[in-house]
Amino acid sequence: MERQARRGGPIAIGNFSTKTVEDGADDITERDPVPQLRRRLGRADLRAVPEARRALRELLGQWGKQGQSDVAELLTSELVTNAIVHTDHDAVLTATVGPRGLRVEVRDFVARRPRLRLPVADDGTNGRGLFLVQSLADAWGVRPHGVGKAVWFELEAGAA
């Protein structure tokens, strides 16, 4: 289920801070400061979903992409909801913006990989999250991270 990013450059969500993130330029020593948001998501705390959307909207407004945040907010909601509902642990949300676009990552502490399921008409609204991510993101994937995994997506600057 892994999918490679079309272009480099990480992007993150949480408290606003300016961190140095490599932008994938030819000179790997060249770095640009980028807005970043990072939040810890409490176990089973569904209040984190609207809070994550609001924080992402603020981050994208700072980036100058305020009016184009609908897709980013939707996909972030899906990743946050999955981490909260399908694990019994805390998670960490990171969103980073840069010249090439937005990267959102939700890291949890459960090694079990998510399953991409095709939505079934009579299945209600469950099981569509990763399908939406796959359909709307420019790139997305799952990578092992310590004792858990990180599920991420990227939107290019024109789309974010």
Side-chain angles (χ1 to χ4, degrees):
M1 180 182 345
E2 297 222 9
R3 188 167 162 195
Q4 295 298 318
R6 292 183 192 167
R7 297 186 181 159
I11 305 176
I13 264 192
N15 294 328
F16 287 112
S17 66
T18 302
K19 290 216 171 199
T20 306
V21 177
E22 198 165 311
D23 70 351
D26 292 336
D27 178 5
I28 61 171
T29 61
E30 180 179 287
R31 295 179 177 259
D32 294 328
V34 295
Q36 185 178 62
L37 180 63
R38 187 172 171 88
R39 293 269 161 88
R40 178 166 283 289
L41 308 170
R43 181 177 65 182
D45 184 6
L46 288 174
R47 294 173 301 178
V49 177
E51 290 171 7
R53 290 180 73 115
R54 181 195 52 74
L56 181 65
R57 191 175 314 118
E58 289 176 13
L59 178 69
L60 293 177
Q62 177 182 349
W63 186 42
K65 301 291 181 184
Q66 213 166 4
Q68 300 174 339
S69 67
D70 292 345
V71 169
E73 289 180 46
L74 173 65
L75 299 183
T76 299
S77 294
E78 294 300 333
L79 295 189
V80 169
T81 300
N82 284 350
I84 291 170
V85 170
H86 297 293
T87 70
D88 192 28
H89 298 278
D90 291 354
V92 177
L93 168 67
T94 305
T96 307
V97 293
R100 293 187 176 171
L102 169 72
R103 179 180 173 96
V104 174
E105 177 176 290
V106 176
R107 185 178 62 139
D108 64 44
F109 303 95
V110 174
R112 184 181 66 248
R113 297 174 69 85
R115 289 186 2 240
L116 178 64
R117 300 183 335 194
L118 294 178
V120 178
D122 61 347
D123 218 7
T125 58
N126 294 329
R128 289 182 164 79
L130 287 180
F131 183 75
L132 285 171
V133 173
Q134 179 185 39
S135 299
L136 299 174
D138 292 312
W140 79 282
V142 179
R143 66 178 175 81
H145 192 283
V147 296
K149 66 186 168 299
V151 183
W152 59 270
F153 73 84
E154 292 179 348
L155 296 174
E156 294 175 359

